[in-house]
Amino acid sequence: MKRQLKILEILDELCTKKLDKNMMQQHKPLGFTAEEVAILAGFSRSNVSSDLNALHREKLVVKLVSRSTYYVTVKWIESLYPALKGKVPEVVRHQRQIEELAANEFSQSGRTGEVSDTTSLKNDNALYDNAQNYDSFDGLIGAQDSLKVAVEQAKASALYPPKGLDTLLVGSTGVGKTLFAEYMYRFACSQGKIAHGGRFIVFNCADYANNPQLLMSQLFGHVRGAFTGADKDKAGLVEKADGGMLFLDEVHRLPPEGQEMLFYLLDRGDFRRMGDTDKIRHVTIRLVAATTENPDSALLKTFLRRIPVVISLPDLSMRPLHERFELIKFLLAREAVHIQSKLIVSQEALWALLLYRCQGNIGQLRNDLQLICAKAFLHRGDKVAPVRLVYEELPPKIKQAIVYDPQARLETSKILCTLGSELFIQPNGTAADEEADRSLPKNFYQTISERMQFLKSQGIGQAEIIQCIEMDFENYFQRLGPEQLEISQEYLQSILPQEFLSVFDLACSLAEKMGKALSRRLYYALAIHIAATVERIRSGLPIVNPNVRSVAEQHPKEYIVAEKMAQCIGEQMGILIPLDEIGFIALMLATFDDRQGREERKVGVLVITHGNSTATSMVDFANKLLGVTHAKAIDMPLEANVDWAIEKAVQVAKEIDQGKGIILLVDMGSLSGVAKALTNRTGIMVKSVEMVSTLMVLHVLHKAILPKNDINIVYRSAWTARSMVQTVVQANNPTDFMNGKDKAILTTCLTGQGAAAKIKGLLEKLLNQWQLFNIRVIAVEAGNQEMLQTRLMSLQHSYDIVASVGSIDPQMEDRPHIAIEELMQGGAGSELRRLLTDGLKASDIADRYTDRGMDWEVMRGMVVGMLDEFLTFVNPRKVMDTLMICIRKLEDELQVEFSSSGLVRMLVHSACMVERLLTNAGISYPETAAFIAEHPLEYSVLKKVSNALEEQFTVNVNDEEICHLIEIIKMERRKNTIEEG
Ligand SMILES: Nc1ncnc2c1ncn2[C@@H]1O[C@H](COP(=O)(O)OP(=O)(O)OP(=O)(O)O)[C@@H](O)[C@H]1O
């Protein structure tokens, strides 16, 4: 118990000293691992780990589950977000979740003000502090899509000197005006535009519309005797909003005299309390008003003249369906927290919720969801069972209001296809589909049949049903791919009967004879699929494929092969495989081949900027660094107009499109319309991001050249990159005072002194060449995870780390890592390549690694080339041969299998080690003895194996060095385990 308390104290101290609020907004792991705490506490990792788990059970510690498990104390979160006192979730999946919950509490707490139900006061420091944690509108659903323009306007109006611009929000009931105003308040606070203590005051003018006197008094205050019942002086909300923000909802209901006073106040900052003839009072407020009135209406004429910024918020029906889906998940997550129960929502219920006509916008959607959840909660038989929301139990007004719009239905189907059969929402407020049933093979047919029946019952036509079902197929096939299921031959043998596999192999050889050889991927997918079919036929369950005829027409060759395969399997297994199933098999044969082709293709990247060589130099840099020529540039002379840019872009887009769309990176401003024009002219899907910079091109290109990424992934990533370079824009803004951090690229290797130092030199040269003088390159020692994380944390305080390059991935979320092998294979300019590929030579070691699919020749050449640069005293070729013998022994004795990257890492590290030992430049390792005691086998094998090196180079491989070598082996083991699944 004593130890637990100590651990808690240490973790709390770590959180308080090393983490700050800003970290919440960064996309990096938050908190500390058991190892980190163990190092400081001086206890073993396993003890600390079990203590942290016990503390977690006692709700004193929160787990943040990302790639590893990180811990922070509940006390620390509560100190940052007082609104979450007693409500901190036990497990957090991502940091945003804490922010969202806090935001939720923040807005909930604002609803009960001290003035009345319809006015709210957010006046304590804690709320202000919360607001300071938000420096953007990112948490607002739609901020980067349907609300993008609105958010940009809001930011501009908040930053306008000296006190921002008064703003009118226009939109129907329930579109989110109040929430939007709250975000404006938070943004202004975070930018220091509202000083500490500045409040967010909400007042709904409609609530007092029938009593103008009371309304004026609430707003401007009164003095004693101002009217009957005014028995003492009272300050109004305007005074309370001094230094803060006043949000006037339904502002068109303000009586004429109120409007006059308000405008006078806005113009001069002066007002009088009602009945006060003596004293003119002065305040500084930011006004955000809101109205549901049409901006053209007479009621608003005066406001529009006097309020400089008008922001329109769209109706729910105008927002994209994927946003509506996000809203539904968000609102349901809130309900799950309220009812403290897990929610399970069926696909059909989601279908209806996405498609029904929701007259009162998000407010109405929220009310409907609350009602549905409340009903389901009450009717739940078993009090500990999750609350289920199913289509049958939705209110008739929802079922009857489902819109018939083929496009929307198709879109909905696409969204739902990314889920399993149900959506799961945890009582801690996280919406997740990862629990969704991924073992589709078993219930694939059932899902299809149910989906078809449902679509039919909704009066949807046959053609549309087929389209929806096709999307299900596509989704199903994607999940069946071996990468997704991590299938291996052994796995297949363990789940499918041998009898079936023999028959299946027979059918495959038949297909091969007919000219349809099956790729490994298709073989696995088809085996699982047909095995499920056989089971289904034997259990007498139907197989329905509405699509069979069109499949036969579209893919005649595959259909014939499928028929033969089905016949063979049917005969051998004594069953009759129906035509509908043949349609499925044919579709798989066709689709997988098509996918194969598609997999090679990449999303295009096109950069257009003003200036004679700006775009070209950014693109050249990124292409060179990644060793590709994929990104293209258009330099736009300053005198050229947008039409010129569009003409050029059309030409280039046609050349570079590979069928997966194009990401357009452009200057801010006039080029923003190019994407739309390009799509209209070429039919290519083009998504554009403004505010391009070299780092952004690098980031986007890195994502785009991975064939597995589609345009949406690359686009999202472009947005992330955009936020990385935000400071550049902020620096251009004279009113901005935010202190932008310097940018840095990290280079990594085990010691920070070998490969990392070398790559640093090369990168610095390249950056210089490209005149990017403001980017620092920092070599870090990444051999020890604990130390690396601590070092990263401190670096992140001082730098905006934009990427890492090297032999060890520091796993910084949303920051690209370029592995050393990637660099060696292609890039970093011809200079780097030349350095790394000299000296190819054959070796007898080759066979072993060639068996593992490595190109040993190339790898050896690269390593020797690299070592040539690193080593002064040791002959790289000589050390290489001895090292290979040692590594072979290590692999055999420790039963570890080095991957190509692991092998390169081990070779480079060990060669540098020999040089270090020769020059007496030793490196340290913390708590060497304890570490060795934990790894006795590795230690003794390494000691034995390194004899050969010691003899040849007359050095003594010391314990510190051995510990570093153990770290590499551990890293490889982890990799082996992950690969084995
Ligand atoms: N972008 C959003 N993301 C998440 N929730 C939202 C969003 N917009 C609105 N909501 C939620 O929808 C509900 C209605 O929003 P809000 O009260 O701000 O609308 P409103 O336009 O001010 O409505 P009214 O005109 O009725 O005052 C609230 O519960 C709010 O939290």
Side-chain angles (χ1 to χ4, degrees), residues 111 140-141 147 172-179 249-250 292 319 327 330-331 334 362-363 366:
R111 305 269 162 209
L140 185 71
I141 295 169
L147 300 180
S172 323
T173 301
V175 291
K177 298 182 293 297
T178 313
L179 188 71
D249 205 358
E250 302 293 347
T292 46
R319 299 178 64 153
L327 285 164
F330 174 80
L331 295 168
R334 260 200 218 168
I362 310 175
R366 176 201 56 203

Side-chain angles (χ1 to χ4, degrees), residues 43-286:
F43 299 130
S44 78
R45 195 204 155 280
S46 58
N47 278 339
V48 171
S49 185
S50 76
D51 285 348
L52 283 170
N53 277 319
L55 290 164
H56 173 244
R57 282 194 296 277
E58 286 173 38
K59 299 191 179 13
L60 294 167
V61 158
V62 176
K63 271 188 189 179
L64 189 117
V65 184
S66 116
R67 283 196 183 112
S68 321
T69 304
Y70 297 84
Y71 299 88
V72 288
T73 59
V74 170
K75 196 170 141 198
W76 178 72
I77 291 190
E78 287 181 347
S79 71
L80 277 188
Y81 294 107
L84 282 182
K85 234 182 178 90
K87 295 172 188 158
V88 178
E90 287 171 28
V91 178
V92 179
R93 280 230 171 66
H94 49 84
Q95 284 145 241
R96 270 257 306 271
Q97 192 188 333
I98 301 181
E99 279 185 44
E100 280 164 9
L101 280 177
N104 198 9
E105 289 304 325
F106 180 90
S107 58
Q108 296 296 317
S109 62
R111 305 269 162 209
T112 51
E114 64 179 58
V115 181
S116 81
D117 280 343
T118 49
T119 47
S120 71
L121 216 50
K122 299 177 175 186
N123 58 355
D124 61 344
N125 290 341
L127 287 178
Y128 177 86
D129 286 346
N130 278 346
Q132 280 203 315
N133 286 319
Y134 293 81
D135 69 350
S136 75
F137 284 71
D138 279 355
L140 185 71
I141 295 169
Q144 293 183 349
D145 208 330
S146 67
L147 300 180
K148 185 176 166 211
V149 175
V151 166
E152 275 164 12
Q153 282 176 299
K155 284 184 173 174
S157 93
L159 296 173
Y160 198 84
K163 67 163 196 69
L165 296 172
D166 298 317
T167 303
L168 179 66
L169 301 179
V170 183
S172 323
T173 301
V175 291
K177 298 182 293 297
T178 313
L179 188 71
F180 194 86
E182 284 182 14
Y183 269 88
M184 290 180 72
Y185 167 74
R186 292 171 191 166
F187 179 73
C189 292
S190 74
Q191 304 296 299
K193 299 290 173 193
I194 289 183
H196 200 277
R199 302 162 172 179
F200 181 61
I201 306 284
V202 180
F203 181 72
N204 190 333
C205 303
D207 293 325
Y208 294 85
N210 298 327
N211 192 341
Q213 193 179 49
L214 191 53
L215 184 148
M216 299 286 283
S217 143
Q218 289 286 18
L219 211 46
F220 298 102
H222 60 250
V223 291
R224 191 166 162 224
F227 49 84
T228 323
D231 48 7
K232 56 180 187 233
D233 289 4
K234 184 174 178 260
L237 294 175
V238 161
E239 274 167 80
K240 293 182 177 167
D242 190 12
M245 184 178 277
L246 176 64
F247 175 62
L248 291 186
D249 205 358
E250 302 293 347
V251 73
H252 58 276
R253 307 290 293 271
L254 201 63
E257 63 271 34
Q259 292 186 18
E260 270 322 303
M261 278 178 78
L262 181 69
F263 294 137
Y264 192 78
L265 172 77
L266 297 181
D267 288 344
R268 307 178 172 216
D270 293 341
F271 75 100
R272 285 175 201 271
R273 285 186 184 172
M274 281 184 68
D276 192 350
T277 46
D278 299 338
K279 192 166 173 192
I280 296 180
R281 291 166 196 269
H282 186 83
V283 288
T284 308
I285 58 167
R286 285 163 177 258

